[in-house]
Amino acid sequence: MPPVQAPSGGGGAWRRLLLLLTVLPLTLAALAFVLQWRGGGVDDPTTRWPPHAFPGMAEPARPSLPSSDCADVLVGSSGPSFPYFRGWSFPSDSGAPKVCVQTSTSAGLEQILPWLFYHKVVGVAQFLLFVEGKAAKPNVAGVLESIPGVKVVYRTKDLEEQQARSRIWNETWLSGFFYKPCNYELFVKQSLNMEMAIVMARDDGMDWIIHLDTDELLYPGGAAEYSVRRLLAEVPHDVDMVIFPNYESSVERDNIKDPFSEVSMFKKNYDHLPKDTYFGMYKEATRGNPNYFLTYGNGKSAARIQDHLRPNGAHRWHNYAKSPNEIKLEEAAVLHYTYTKFSDLTSRRDRCGCKPTKEDVKRCFMLDFDRAAFIIASTASEEEMLRWYNERVVWNDKQLNLKLLRKGVLTRIYTPMTIVQGLRESGTFTSVIAAGQAAVNEKLLLKKTDVQSQNITRPENLQIELVGATDSKSSARKILQTKLVFSDTDVTAVPPLSPPGLDDEHSHGSE
């Protein structure tokens, strides 16, 4: 009797099931790839750069440790493993220009460290931090001073006396901002600090200098790599100044704690939009606020370090000997994280002693939104302030957001968020604080033994720390006291300016 054979239909079913189980995962993987590649219809500039296109990025070295020694493995993996941060060294191309970032700040480590190390990742070589307030406290300044490439300058009586001798006070280009409170006083202080930073950066062999606030991040769009050094290396040699148009943060909720890690949506600058789109979407993009941007819209600039260079306010540079040749970048930008936290309303209020009236706030603030925010923060209850913040600052209308994203007025930029989150999760910031503890202890001891009349931290040998040795002082005199040889010496300092309004539509359309 022949053996009984299984029905052929059952074998076919198993084969079809096996084929389905094979094809389904491949199909899902292909679909995920297509969705990721398309970006869901929203521009993600992160995809412009290939893997490992960051100047400080390299594959982390695997520790060669005995597999049987668990303790050694744990020790070996306890330090920061984030590949952008390897010891204290950030690899960079030797042929690229050296970039210095200068700031005037009173912020704490929670804001300064992410700002500083992000810029280390994108290729900044030197940081000149002019500190006061919280930033000058021993537990903050001591950590900052322990970081290679960082110089801390304290706002002491000696510094103020030195800056009081600046030629700026005898010229007219900044005089319109003298002897006024709040933002005007800060603007003058920033300009004086920038003047001194030019000398310091030149003495240290820097090629470019940029003034940034600690709520601003450079975005090197258009460069071959995500690198400020690469970006500036591609600038023609006859260009003296490079303008970075600014994008403004557009927060989507009112409980942001860490803006650099939580904000990915930005409003584009007028210079990076078609004019028809900008003016056509102006009212929807403004949402009842005084201007298209909450705060300034005229960007920041980088200057090539050369003879006779001077600041021209916090947003621009100038030259005593010639009219600088400048270009405006078409893709790169400064990302301005403004009013990203609800607490920014009260912190700005607490820094200024003006009366909350429409007339008096004009003495303190240059921009309309700052004036309105100060009045609200000074007169409204907490609940009223939160309601106002949600109406004027928070982008909680998802349909409007999607419309403006599709029109290109808003954009998503994830790279800074990814870098800062990676630095934080790898323990970079905590390890920096731990490594700087010795310097902090030294500062605390100094503070106990050196009681001062002012509420600031002052290092010893101030003149040396500010401008270096005798050669540096000579260099300072050469740059700051040279005879005027250019007739256009009274160019007015460029203040923070609002972007064009609807009243400007006709004039811009006829250009």
PDB file of all heavy atoms in Angstrom, residues 410-437:
ATOM      1  N   LEU A 410       7.973  79.570   8.562  1.00  0.00           N
ATOM      2  CA  LEU A 410       8.540  78.813   9.672  1.00  0.00           C
ATOM      3  C   LEU A 410       9.359  77.655   9.121  1.00  0.00           C
ATOM      4  O   LEU A 410       9.106  77.173   8.009  1.00  0.00           O
ATOM      5  CB  LEU A 410       7.432  78.261  10.580  1.00  0.00           C
ATOM      6  CG  LEU A 410       6.557  79.274  11.317  1.00  0.00           C
ATOM      7  CD1 LEU A 410       5.457  78.549  12.092  1.00  0.00           C
ATOM      8  CD2 LEU A 410       7.375  80.137  12.263  1.00  0.00           C
ATOM      9  N   THR A 411      10.333  77.211   9.884  1.00  0.00           N
ATOM     10  CA  THR A 411      11.155  76.075   9.480  1.00  0.00           C
ATOM     11  C   THR A 411      11.540  75.263  10.696  1.00  0.00           C
ATOM     12  O   THR A 411      11.561  75.779  11.828  1.00  0.00           O
ATOM     13  CB  THR A 411      12.419  76.542   8.730  1.00  0.00           C
ATOM     14  OG1 THR A 411      13.113  75.405   8.202  1.00  0.00           O
ATOM     15  CG2 THR A 411      13.354  77.317   9.650  1.00  0.00           C
ATOM     16  N   ARG A 412      11.825  73.987  10.466  1.00  0.00           N
ATOM     17  CA  ARG A 412      12.317  73.114  11.528  1.00  0.00           C
ATOM     18  C   ARG A 412      13.830  72.967  11.395  1.00  0.00           C
ATOM     19  O   ARG A 412      14.333  72.663  10.311  1.00  0.00           O
ATOM     20  CB  ARG A 412      11.672  71.731  11.433  1.00  0.00           C
ATOM     21  CG  ARG A 412      10.184  71.712  11.713  1.00  0.00           C
ATOM     22  CD  ARG A 412       9.911  71.777  13.187  1.00  0.00           C
ATOM     23  NE  ARG A 412       8.464  71.660  13.468  1.00  0.00           N
ATOM     24  CZ  ARG A 412       7.932  71.776  14.670  1.00  0.00           C
ATOM     25  NH1 ARG A 412       8.711  72.032  15.713  1.00  0.00           N
ATOM     26  NH2 ARG A 412       6.645  71.660  14.848  1.00  0.00           N
ATOM     27  N   ILE A 413      14.529  73.188  12.487  1.00  0.00           N
ATOM     28  CA  ILE A 413      15.983  72.990  12.526  1.00  0.00           C
ATOM     29  C   ILE A 413      16.286  72.146  13.756  1.00  0.00           C
ATOM     30  O   ILE A 413      16.114  72.610  14.892  1.00  0.00           O
ATOM     31  CB  ILE A 413      16.741  74.328  12.562  1.00  0.00           C
ATOM     32  CG1 ILE A 413      16.420  75.160  11.310  1.00  0.00           C
ATOM     33  CG2 ILE A 413      18.247  74.088  12.678  1.00  0.00           C
ATOM     34  CD1 ILE A 413      17.098  76.509  11.260  1.00  0.00           C
ATOM     35  N   TYR A 414      16.728  70.917  13.529  1.00  0.00           N
ATOM     36  CA  TYR A 414      16.913  69.971  14.629  1.00  0.00           C
ATOM     37  C   TYR A 414      18.362  69.812  15.071  1.00  0.00           C
ATOM     38  O   TYR A 414      18.626  69.294  16.160  1.00  0.00           O
ATOM     39  CB  TYR A 414      16.392  68.586  14.211  1.00  0.00           C
ATOM     40  CG  TYR A 414      14.909  68.526  13.952  1.00  0.00           C
ATOM     41  CD1 TYR A 414      14.426  68.486  12.642  1.00  0.00           C
ATOM     42  CD2 TYR A 414      13.997  68.507  14.991  1.00  0.00           C
ATOM     43  CE1 TYR A 414      13.068  68.424  12.391  1.00  0.00           C
ATOM     44  CE2 TYR A 414      12.631  68.451  14.752  1.00  0.00           C
ATOM     45  CZ  TYR A 414      12.169  68.409  13.442  1.00  0.00           C
ATOM     46  OH  TYR A 414      10.821  68.361  13.208  1.00  0.00           O
ATOM     47  N   THR A 415      19.315  70.222  14.246  1.00  0.00           N
ATOM     48  CA  THR A 415      20.717  69.913  14.536  1.00  0.00           C
ATOM     49  C   THR A 415      21.201  70.480  15.867  1.00  0.00           C
ATOM     50  O   THR A 415      21.811  69.756  16.656  1.00  0.00           O
ATOM     51  CB  THR A 415      21.616  70.407  13.386  1.00  0.00           C
ATOM     52  OG1 THR A 415      21.057  70.002  12.142  1.00  0.00           O
ATOM     53  CG2 THR A 415      23.019  69.857  13.528  1.00  0.00           C
ATOM     54  N   PRO A 416      20.958  71.755  16.193  1.00  0.00           N
ATOM     55  CA  PRO A 416      21.404  72.249  17.500  1.00  0.00           C
ATOM     56  C   PRO A 416      20.795  71.479  18.658  1.00  0.00           C
ATOM     57  O   PRO A 416      21.478  71.170  19.640  1.00  0.00           O
ATOM     58  CB  PRO A 416      20.943  73.709  17.502  1.00  0.00           C
ATOM     59  CG  PRO A 416      20.825  74.081  16.063  1.00  0.00           C
ATOM     60  CD  PRO A 416      20.350  72.832  15.380  1.00  0.00           C
ATOM     61  N   MET A 417      19.520  71.143  18.552  1.00  0.00           N
ATOM     62  CA  MET A 417      18.857  70.371  19.590  1.00  0.00           C
ATOM     63  C   MET A 417      19.533  69.015  19.772  1.00  0.00           C
ATOM     64  O   MET A 417      19.798  68.569  20.894  1.00  0.00           O
ATOM     65  CB  MET A 417      17.383  70.154  19.214  1.00  0.00           C
ATOM     66  CG  MET A 417      16.625  69.210  20.111  1.00  0.00           C
ATOM     67  SD  MET A 417      15.005  68.771  19.433  1.00  0.00           S
ATOM     68  CE  MET A 417      14.123  70.301  19.659  1.00  0.00           C
ATOM     69  N   THR A 418      19.852  68.366  18.663  1.00  0.00           N
ATOM     70  CA  THR A 418      20.496  67.053  18.717  1.00  0.00           C
ATOM     71  C   THR A 418      21.868  67.139  19.370  1.00  0.00           C
ATOM     72  O   THR A 418      22.233  66.296  20.201  1.00  0.00           O
ATOM     73  CB  THR A 418      20.633  66.486  17.294  1.00  0.00           C
ATOM     74  OG1 THR A 418      19.339  66.427  16.682  1.00  0.00           O
ATOM     75  CG2 THR A 418      21.244  65.101  17.319  1.00  0.00           C
ATOM     76  N   ILE A 419      22.632  68.159  19.005  1.00  0.00           N
ATOM     77  CA  ILE A 419      23.975  68.309  19.567  1.00  0.00           C
ATOM     78  C   ILE A 419      23.914  68.563  21.069  1.00  0.00           C
ATOM     79  O   ILE A 419      24.615  67.919  21.858  1.00  0.00           O
ATOM     80  CB  ILE A 419      24.728  69.452  18.851  1.00  0.00           C
ATOM     81  CG1 ILE A 419      25.040  69.057  17.405  1.00  0.00           C
ATOM     82  CG2 ILE A 419      26.023  69.804  19.592  1.00  0.00           C
ATOM     83  CD1 ILE A 419      25.659  70.169  16.584  1.00  0.00           C
ATOM     84  N   VAL A 420      23.065  69.490  21.488  1.00  0.00           N
ATOM     85  CA  VAL A 420      22.993  69.841  22.911  1.00  0.00           C
ATOM     86  C   VAL A 420      22.441  68.674  23.724  1.00  0.00           C
ATOM     87  O   VAL A 420      22.942  68.376  24.823  1.00  0.00           O
ATOM     88  CB  VAL A 420      22.138  71.109  23.111  1.00  0.00           C
ATOM     89  CG1 VAL A 420      21.916  71.385  24.593  1.00  0.00           C
ATOM     90  CG2 VAL A 420      22.827  72.309  22.458  1.00  0.00           C
ATOM     91  N   GLN A 421      21.427  67.988  23.211  1.00  0.00           N
ATOM     92  CA  GLN A 421      20.905  66.822  23.920  1.00  0.00           C
ATOM     93  C   GLN A 421      21.970  65.742  24.059  1.00  0.00           C
ATOM     94  O   GLN A 421      22.115  65.114  25.104  1.00  0.00           O
ATOM     95  CB  GLN A 421      19.689  66.257  23.184  1.00  0.00           C
ATOM     96  CG  GLN A 421      18.431  67.086  23.343  1.00  0.00           C
ATOM     97  CD  GLN A 421      17.263  66.521  22.549  1.00  0.00           C
ATOM     98  OE1 GLN A 421      17.441  65.709  21.640  1.00  0.00           O
ATOM     99  NE2 GLN A 421      16.068  66.962  22.882  1.00  0.00           N
ATOM    100  N   GLY A 422      22.752  65.543  22.991  1.00  0.00           N
ATOM    101  CA  GLY A 422      23.820  64.548  23.055  1.00  0.00           C
ATOM    102  C   GLY A 422      24.888  64.909  24.063  1.00  0.00           C
ATOM    103  O   GLY A 422      25.378  64.050  24.803  1.00  0.00           O
ATOM    104  N   LEU A 423      25.263  66.181  24.095  1.00  0.00           N
ATOM    105  CA  LEU A 423      26.243  66.634  25.080  1.00  0.00           C
ATOM    106  C   LEU A 423      25.736  66.424  26.501  1.00  0.00           C
ATOM    107  O   LEU A 423      26.463  65.960  27.381  1.00  0.00           O
ATOM    108  CB  LEU A 423      26.548  68.116  24.859  1.00  0.00           C
ATOM    109  CG  LEU A 423      27.412  68.480  23.646  1.00  0.00           C
ATOM    110  CD1 LEU A 423      27.301  69.964  23.338  1.00  0.00           C
ATOM    111  CD2 LEU A 423      28.860  68.088  23.873  1.00  0.00           C
ATOM    112  N   ARG A 424      24.461  66.731  26.717  1.00  0.00           N
ATOM    113  CA  ARG A 424      23.896  66.595  28.057  1.00  0.00           C
ATOM    114  C   ARG A 424      23.807  65.125  28.477  1.00  0.00           C
ATOM    115  O   ARG A 424      24.191  64.750  29.584  1.00  0.00           O
ATOM    116  CB  ARG A 424      22.511  67.241  28.098  1.00  0.00           C
ATOM    117  CG  ARG A 424      21.915  67.335  29.497  1.00  0.00           C
ATOM    118  CD  ARG A 424      20.531  67.960  29.470  1.00  0.00           C
ATOM    119  NE  ARG A 424      20.504  69.221  28.749  1.00  0.00           N
ATOM    120  CZ  ARG A 424      20.942  70.365  29.241  1.00  0.00           C
ATOM    121  NH1 ARG A 424      21.435  70.417  30.468  1.00  0.00           N
ATOM    122  NH2 ARG A 424      20.890  71.473  28.523  1.00  0.00           N
ATOM    123  N   GLU A 425      23.292  64.284  27.581  1.00  0.00           N
ATOM    124  CA  GLU A 425      23.088  62.880  27.920  1.00  0.00           C
ATOM    125  C   GLU A 425      24.405  62.134  28.114  1.00  0.00           C
ATOM    126  O   GLU A 425      24.468  61.147  28.837  1.00  0.00           O
ATOM    127  CB  GLU A 425      22.247  62.204  26.842  1.00  0.00           C
ATOM    128  CG  GLU A 425      20.811  62.704  26.807  1.00  0.00           C
ATOM    129  CD  GLU A 425      20.065  62.251  25.561  1.00  0.00           C
ATOM    130  OE1 GLU A 425      20.652  61.469  24.781  1.00  0.00           O
ATOM    131  OE2 GLU A 425      18.911  62.684  25.379  1.00  0.00           O
ATOM    132  N   SER A 426      25.463  62.604  27.464  1.00  0.00           N
ATOM    133  CA  SER A 426      26.763  61.960  27.612  1.00  0.00           C
ATOM    134  C   SER A 426      27.465  62.358  28.902  1.00  0.00           C
ATOM    135  O   SER A 426      28.521  61.820  29.223  1.00  0.00           O
ATOM    136  CB  SER A 426      27.660  62.319  26.425  1.00  0.00           C
ATOM    137  OG  SER A 426      28.022  63.689  26.480  1.00  0.00           O
ATOM    138  N   GLY A 427      26.906  63.322  29.631  1.00  0.00           N
ATOM    139  CA  GLY A 427      27.530  63.755  30.877  1.00  0.00           C
ATOM    140  C   GLY A 427      28.593  64.814  30.696  1.00  0.00           C
ATOM    141  O   GLY A 427      29.360  65.085  31.620  1.00  0.00           O
ATOM    142  N   THR A 428      28.643  65.429  29.510  1.00  0.00           N
ATOM    143  CA  THR A 428      29.679  66.433  29.250  1.00  0.00           C
ATOM    144  C   THR A 428      29.619  67.588  30.241  1.00  0.00           C
ATOM    145  O   THR A 428      30.629  67.986  30.827  1.00  0.00           O
ATOM    146  CB  THR A 428      29.542  66.975  27.813  1.00  0.00           C
ATOM    147  OG1 THR A 428      29.753  65.900  26.894  1.00  0.00           O
ATOM    148  CG2 THR A 428      30.556  68.073  27.547  1.00  0.00           C
ATOM    149  N   PHE A 429      28.436  68.137  30.459  1.00  0.00           N
ATOM    150  CA  PHE A 429      28.313  69.312  31.314  1.00  0.00           C
ATOM    151  C   PHE A 429      28.625  68.981  32.775  1.00  0.00           C
ATOM    152  O   PHE A 429      29.294  69.754  33.462  1.00  0.00           O
ATOM    153  CB  PHE A 429      26.918  69.916  31.190  1.00  0.00           C
ATOM    154  CG  PHE A 429      26.533  70.254  29.776  1.00  0.00           C
ATOM    155  CD1 PHE A 429      25.249  70.021  29.312  1.00  0.00           C
ATOM    156  CD2 PHE A 429      27.461  70.791  28.895  1.00  0.00           C
ATOM    157  CE1 PHE A 429      24.893  70.321  28.006  1.00  0.00           C
ATOM    158  CE2 PHE A 429      27.124  71.095  27.589  1.00  0.00           C
ATOM    159  CZ  PHE A 429      25.838  70.854  27.140  1.00  0.00           C
ATOM    160  N   THR A 430      28.138  67.842  33.240  1.00  0.00           N
ATOM    161  CA  THR A 430      28.424  67.468  34.628  1.00  0.00           C
ATOM    162  C   THR A 430      29.908  67.191  34.825  1.00  0.00           C
ATOM    163  O   THR A 430      30.468  67.527  35.875  1.00  0.00           O
ATOM    164  CB  THR A 430      27.603  66.233  35.033  1.00  0.00           C
ATOM    165  OG1 THR A 430      27.823  65.178  34.084  1.00  0.00           O
ATOM    166  CG2 THR A 430      26.125  66.558  35.077  1.00  0.00           C
ATOM    167  N   SER A 431      30.552  66.602  33.819  1.00  0.00           N
ATOM    168  CA  SER A 431      31.984  66.338  33.960  1.00  0.00           C
ATOM    169  C   SER A 431      32.792  67.621  33.944  1.00  0.00           C
ATOM    170  O   SER A 431      33.810  67.740  34.630  1.00  0.00           O
ATOM    171  CB  SER A 431      32.466  65.396  32.840  1.00  0.00           C
ATOM    172  OG  SER A 431      32.457  66.048  31.587  1.00  0.00           O
ATOM    173  N   VAL A 432      32.342  68.620  33.169  1.00  0.00           N
ATOM    174  CA  VAL A 432      33.027  69.914  33.138  1.00  0.00           C
ATOM    175  C   VAL A 432      32.931  70.591  34.499  1.00  0.00           C
ATOM    176  O   VAL A 432      33.916  71.142  35.012  1.00  0.00           O
ATOM    177  CB  VAL A 432      32.419  70.815  32.042  1.00  0.00           C
ATOM    178  CG1 VAL A 432      32.905  72.244  32.183  1.00  0.00           C
ATOM    179  CG2 VAL A 432      32.769  70.281  30.673  1.00  0.00           C
ATOM    180  N   ILE A 433      31.738  70.539  35.088  1.00  0.00           N
ATOM    181  CA  ILE A 433      31.553  71.142  36.408  1.00  0.00           C
ATOM    182  C   ILE A 433      32.417  70.444  37.443  1.00  0.00           C
ATOM    183  O   ILE A 433      33.057  71.084  38.291  1.00  0.00           O
ATOM    184  CB  ILE A 433      30.069  71.095  36.806  1.00  0.00           C
ATOM    185  CG1 ILE A 433      29.257  71.995  35.860  1.00  0.00           C
ATOM    186  CG2 ILE A 433      29.878  71.533  38.248  1.00  0.00           C
ATOM    187  CD1 ILE A 433      27.759  71.877  36.038  1.00  0.00           C
ATOM    188  N   ALA A 434      32.459  69.110  37.375  1.00  0.00           N
ATOM    189  CA  ALA A 434      33.289  68.357  38.320  1.00  0.00           C
ATOM    190  C   ALA A 434      34.772  68.677  38.136  1.00  0.00           C
ATOM    191  O   ALA A 434      35.510  68.859  39.109  1.00  0.00           O
ATOM    192  CB  ALA A 434      33.044  66.857  38.147  1.00  0.00           C
ATOM    193  N   ALA A 435      35.197  68.775  36.868  1.00  0.00           N
ATOM    194  CA  ALA A 435      36.604  69.059  36.598  1.00  0.00           C
ATOM    195  C   ALA A 435      36.997  70.460  37.049  1.00  0.00           C
ATOM    196  O   ALA A 435      38.152  70.711  37.396  1.00  0.00           O
ATOM    197  CB  ALA A 435      36.882  68.890  35.102  1.00  0.00           C
ATOM    198  N   GLY A 436      36.033  71.392  37.042  1.00  0.00           N
ATOM    199  CA  GLY A 436      36.340  72.768  37.429  1.00  0.00           C
ATOM    200  C   GLY A 436      36.176  73.044  38.908  1.00  0.00           C
ATOM    201  O   GLY A 436      36.328  74.196  39.336  1.00  0.00           O
ATOM    202  N   GLN A 437      35.886  72.002  39.696  1.00  0.00           N
ATOM    203  CA  GLN A 437      35.619  72.221  41.106  1.00  0.00           C
ATOM    204  C   GLN A 437      36.828  72.777  41.855  1.00  0.00           C
ATOM    205  O   GLN A 437      36.678  73.583  42.776  1.00  0.00           O
ATOM    206  CB  GLN A 437      35.168  70.917  41.768  1.00  0.00           C
ATOM    207  CG  GLN A 437      34.539  71.092  43.136  1.00  0.00           C
ATOM    208  CD  GLN A 437      33.333  72.016  43.102  1.00  0.00           C
ATOM    209  OE1 GLN A 437      32.461  71.885  42.256  1.00  0.00           O
ATOM    210  NE2 GLN A 437      33.278  72.970  44.036  1.00  0.00           N
TER     211      GLN A 437
END
